Every structure is written in structure tokens, then in C-alpha cells.
């Protein structure tokens, strides 16, 4: 898995109430680390600047 996939994986478990508690806690800790927070901030800024994800309008 590459870094963006790991972040998406962790985000999916923090939002899933049916996921095991240990996995949800691990995901929340992972998402709270500085490198991940920085990545999420940059990703969100890119998405806000380009809501179409680089796709050209038809």
C-alpha cells in the first residue's frame, strides 16, 4: 500500500462504527501523527483548489 491508500484505509475505519474498537483506535492514532495530518491538510487543499480532481469539463 502506498501512503495515500493507508490514509484512506485509516479514515474509513474511524468513520465505521461497526469496525473493531482496537482498529478504530489504531486508525485514530495513525491519523493524529504529524506526517499524516500534513498529508491530509495538503490533500484537502488540493481538492479545494481543484474540485474536479484534474478532470476536464465536457
Amino acid at each position: 500500500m502506498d501512503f495515500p491508500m493507508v490514509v484512506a484505509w485509516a479514515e474509513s475505519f474511524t468513520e465505521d462504527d461497526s469496525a473493531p474498537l482496537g482498529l478504530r483506535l489504531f486508525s485514530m492514532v495513525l491519523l493524529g501523527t504529524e506526517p499524516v495530518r500534513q498529508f491530509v491538510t495538503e490533500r484537502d487543499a488540493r481538492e479545494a483548489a481543484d474540485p474536479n480532481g484534474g478532470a476536464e469539463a465536457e
Side-chain angles (χ1 to χ4, degrees), residues 10-27:
E11 288 174 328
S12 72
F13 283 114
T14 60
E15 298 167 358
D16 182 3
D17 292 335
S18 65
L21 180 60
L23 187 54
R24 289 172 47 205
L25 290 173
F26 171 78
S27 296

Side-chain angles (χ1 to χ4, degrees), residues 3-51:
F3 195 71
M5 290 178 67
V6 170
V7 171
W9 174 83
E11 288 174 328
S12 72
F13 283 114
T14 60
E15 298 167 358
D16 182 3
D17 292 335
S18 65
L21 180 60
L23 187 54
R24 289 172 47 205
L25 290 173
F26 171 78
S27 296
M28 290 185 340
V29 169
L30 177 68
L31 291 172
T33 62
E34 185 59 33
V36 174
R37 288 193 333 227
Q38 182 178 354
F39 169 79
V40 170
T41 300
E42 292 171 1
R43 179 197 64 193
D44 292 348
R46 280 192 309 271
E47 289 176 358
D50 187 8

